Amino acid sequence: MASIFSKIIAGEIPCYKIAEDERFFAFLDINPLAKGHTLVVPKQECDYVFDLDDELLGGLSVFAKKVAKAIEQVIPCKRIGVAVLGLEVPHAHVHLVPLQSEADISFAKPKLQLAKEEMEAVAEAIRAQL
Ligand code: 5GP
């Protein structure tokens, strides 16, 4: 069965899309830790990020870097934090989270509730930087 992220990539489930190329896809996390919290995923389904082949893992990092640089232009932050958990969705992905402090990337804290319009506006602003 296709993962929820494969369904997003295929356009079967809506998302706030940030970027896409032949191998990778980026979109806003629906339950963000911070405004601009983005997920970067390989289109190829693979549960565990460290089971990706070296070339794809390297490509994922380079793609994530481009997206992170765009997020930095839009969201005031000290830097973009990177996290890999994968405990919820079994499709390898990297979290990019704008940070003002270490606490901003605590997955234990309550998630933000952002209006659809705000998510759309953030996604559009990040896309414009790419
Ligand atoms: P993890 O697998 O890294 O523990 O967490 C999965 C992440 O994916 C969570 O931060 C969650 O909010 C996000 N997520 C789960 N389902 C969806 C979805 O349908 N759309 C989007 N945009 N994000 C999702």
Side-chain angles (χ1 to χ4, degrees):
M1 200 178 84
S3 76
I4 193 156
F5 291 168
S6 288
K7 290 180 181 171
I8 287 173
I9 293 162
E12 293 164 15
I13 293 176
C15 74
Y16 303 100
K17 183 174 161 181
I18 301 295
E20 174 177 18
D21 71 6
E22 322 78 60
R23 296 188 299 166
F24 306 108
F25 196 94
F27 54 103
L28 294 183
D29 193 305
I30 202 72
N31 296 307
L33 288 173
K35 203 192 277 193
H37 179 170
T38 297
L39 301 175
V40 181
V41 309
K43 290 183 174 177
Q44 179 189 310
E45 271 193 25
C46 174
D47 179 355
Y48 183 38
V49 75
F50 292 131
D51 285 336
L52 293 172
D53 71 44
D54 292 356
E55 217 277 318
L56 201 57
L57 181 59
L60 181 68
S61 294
V62 172
F63 189 82
K65 175 181 173 179
K66 284 184 201 146
V67 173
K69 292 288 178 189
I71 298 170
E72 278 173 10
Q73 303 304 309
V74 173
I75 308 293
C77 62
K78 289 187 175 159
R79 58 180 57 209
I80 304 296
V82 179
V84 176
L85 284 80
L87 296 173
E88 182 187 326
V89 177
H91 183 143
H93 54 280
V94 171
H95 295 258
L96 299 178
V97 183
L99 301 179
Q100 290 293 353
S101 75
E102 190 180 310
D104 293 337
I105 201 162
S106 166
F107 283 81
K109 72 174 193 176
K111 307 298 185 293
L112 296 183
Q113 301 287 329
L114 299 180
K116 185 174 185 287
E117 295 71 26
E118 200 166 3
M119 294 286 274
E120 273 166 2
V122 169
E124 191 178 335
I126 297 170
R127 281 197 302 271
Q129 299 299 323
L130 286 161

